[in-house]
Amino acid sequence: MKPSIAILTGAGISAESGLATFRDSNGLWANHRIEDVCTPEAWARNPQLVLDFYNQRRAQAAAAQPNAAHIALAQLQQHFPVHIITQNVDDLHERAGSHNVLHLHGQLNQARSSADPDYIIPCTQDQTLQDTDPHGNPMRPHIVWFGEAVPLIETAARRVSQADKILVVGTSMQVYPAAGLLEYAPYEAERYLVDPRPPKGLANISIIEAKAKDGVPPLVEKLIAEAARR
């Protein structure tokens, strides 16, 4: 039986496709306070500003292209059972060819009812304040905002707990609850971290000190080659 792989990805892998993170010192996020566009309170206070912000983000994500790291991770599924657990809200993993992608923090290309969290629809164009669900409730971006629960965290933890190998790419693993997912990894699971500036003091994990697009492809080749020899 082929070993299963859980892959945890974050903003770093999307940044290499040109998408700014909220920690960047320039770009889209630098012009907005998180409190003004990424919280339930911001939505209640100024929904138009929130929609404008996410309409910009949606357009930027649609214009971006998957990079070598996204493509390499998609190739893994041809050789292993793979589950990607991402903190990213873009669809670059899917466009690279990956399946079984769990978006912890929601998706830019979806909208959901502000009253019914289970009413979710595709959204590839700009959202407006006139967009409503079948009961007339406003539609909001399908994004998990700061201060909100992460509905899929238990599913993510279960997938990590069942994996034989864990890859961590493009994430500092400092934003909770996603940061706690490694704690669910089986003790004997192989762990790999691809990061140009890995945190100090990590134990029981193989560190590849490189950007995602440089470090992931050779790691994927290594894993595939190892599987072929068995």
Side-chain angles (χ1 to χ4, degrees):
M1 185 174 178
K2 294 181 178 179
S4 61
I5 299 179
I7 304 170
L8 310 178
T9 71
I13 190 171
S14 292
E16 293 178 37
S17 289
L19 297 181
T21 73
F22 73 86
R23 290 186 176 87
D24 285 345
S25 59
N26 51 39
L28 180 62
W29 285 89
N31 300 318
H32 298 84
R33 295 192 317 145
I34 288 171
E35 295 85 352
D36 292 337
V37 291
C38 303
T39 65
E41 293 78 14
W43 174 250
R45 184 171 57 247
N46 193 340
Q48 185 62 63
L49 178 63
V50 173
L51 290 185
D52 289 344
F53 176 75
Y54 283 101
N55 287 341
Q56 286 182 274
R57 292 198 69 195
R58 187 179 302 107
Q60 290 189 351
Q65 296 299 320
N67 61 55
H70 293 107
I71 294 168
L73 293 179
Q75 293 170 346
L76 269 181
Q77 69 189 7
Q78 300 173 22
H79 304 271
F80 303 94
V82 172
H83 287 282
I84 293 178
I85 301 162
T86 186
Q87 298 174 63
N88 299 332
V89 293
D90 57 69
D91 64 347
L92 293 175
H93 281 302
E94 288 89 342
R95 284 198 274 141
S98 285
H99 310 302
N100 298 326
V101 182
L102 187 154
H103 288 267
L104 281 177
H105 297 157
Q107 296 180 249
L108 283 170
N109 59 8
Q110 293 181 344
R112 84 168 189 253
S113 167
S114 58
D116 180 3
D118 294 325
Y119 183 78
I120 301 168
I121 61 173
C123 178
T124 57
Q125 305 297 322
D126 284 356
Q127 281 189 266
T128 74
L129 293 177
Q130 286 68 50
D131 297 335
T132 61
D133 69 13
H135 300 287
N137 300 300
M139 296 294 290
R140 55 166 276 184
H142 181 39
I143 301 293
V144 177
W145 287 324
F146 289 92
E148 293 185 320
V150 180
L152 295 176
I153 194 67
E154 291 184 4
T155 302
R158 185 168 61 251
R159 291 181 180 179
V160 171
S161 73
Q162 296 169 345
D164 301 299
K165 301 176 189 289
I166 315 289
L167 278 58
V168 181
V169 182
T171 173
S172 63
M173 298 305 289
Q174 294 177 2
V175 177
Y176 283 86
L181 286 174
L182 271 180
E183 299 172 8
Y184 292 91
Y187 178 79
E188 66 278 6
E190 296 179 17
R191 298 168 172 83
Y192 298 89
L193 170 68
V194 181
D195 195 308
R197 294 179 297 277
K200 305 287 186 182
L202 294 177
N204 196 27
I205 190 166
S206 299
I207 296 175
I208 299 168
E209 197 166 335
K211 290 185 176 182
K213 63 184 180 182
D214 299 322
V216 171
L219 173 58
V220 166
E221 290 180 7
K222 170 183 176 293
L223 295 175
I224 293 173
E226 288 176 351
R229 289 195 295 268
R230 292 176 179 171

